[in-house]
Amino acid sequence: MISRKRIGVLGGTFDPIHNAHIEIARSALAAASLDVVLFIIAPSPPHKQEGIVASPEQRMAMIEAALVGESHMEACDLEMKRSGPSYTATTLEQLTDLYPDSELFLILGLDSLIDLPNWRNPKTILALAHILAVSRPGETPPTDPILAGKFDLIPFEETDVSSTEVRRKIKAGEAVDQLLPASVIDVIRERRIYEP
């Protein structure tokens, strides 16, 4: 990846990546005039040790497939190269070292933003990145003083799609073509991910 000035960071398990993830990245790109959004797989998120189905390599393959043709979006394997739990503060520190002339924007759901003061090293996170919080209509922004002035809300249309629901539908043999990019469906079929 070449040096960029305004880098969005969208982390998650992406098990699998789905259309809402792509739409969130598009919204962040437009709202904050980002140069790129990095999709960073959390191979071992501390808050979600159970329930991850696809391997990090399978999830990376799905992300790479999903982003073909998406300008200003890239898959990033930074956390896959690290052992142990995937902590956001550590990832942001590494990105700051890699791109010292860039400004980082951490893309979160509003529920994650509200919980951020309970994460490991929240002050480090807030010092290294400005938060772009995806908010659905009617959601109330957090009032924790530690977050004051540290985030902007990105409007996002309500969606029911979730990775859990996608996996359930695949196991049940139901159609997911409205929920996933066709390229991701191809990877899932070829590699037989999520088969019962």
Side-chain angles (χ1 to χ4, degrees), residues 110 113-115 117 140-149 151 153:
L110 196 62
L113 174 63
I114 291 167
D115 190 47
T140 305
T143 56
D144 192 309
I146 193 176
L147 300 172
F151 69 91
L153 297 179

Side-chain angles (χ1 to χ4, degrees), residues 73-85:
M73 298 184 201
E74 297 178 11
C76 179
D77 64 356
L78 195 63
E79 291 189 2
M80 289 175 63
K81 296 175 180 176
R82 230 171 39 224
S83 60

Side-chain angles (χ1 to χ4, degrees), residues 78-144:
L78 195 63
E79 291 189 2
M80 289 175 63
K81 296 175 180 176
R82 230 171 39 224
S83 60
S86 309
Y87 290 112
T88 300
T90 306
T91 300
L92 293 175
E93 286 172 337
Q94 285 187 282
L95 288 170
T96 300
D97 289 341
L98 285 170
Y99 309 109
D101 297 327
S102 292
E103 191 175 356
L104 301 178
F105 294 82
L106 182 62
I107 303 165
L108 299 175
L110 196 62
D111 55 340
S112 294
L113 174 63
I114 291 167
D115 190 47
L116 192 145
N118 300 315
W119 292 12
R120 177 176 285 210
N121 300 328
K123 289 182 179 178
T124 299
I125 294 170
L126 295 169
L128 295 178
H130 188 74
I131 309 298
L132 300 176
V134 178
S135 65
R136 295 175 178 89
E139 287 185 323
T140 305
T143 56
D144 192 309

Side-chain angles (χ1 to χ4, degrees), residues 48-86:
K48 198 187 286 188
Q49 294 290 333
E50 301 295 326
I52 300 174
V53 178
S55 71
E57 293 74 21
Q58 289 172 326
R59 289 182 275 142
M60 177 58 76
M62 289 187 280
I63 290 176
E64 289 172 342
L67 300 186
V68 170
E70 292 288 345
S71 59
H72 308 292
M73 298 184 201
E74 297 178 11
C76 179
D77 64 356
L78 195 63
E79 291 189 2
M80 289 175 63
K81 296 175 180 176
R82 230 171 39 224
S83 60
S86 309

Side-chain angles (χ1 to χ4, degrees), residues 19-30:
N19 289 341
H21 293 133
I22 305 292
E23 290 302 324
I24 286 168
R26 287 177 182 151
S27 296
L29 279 163

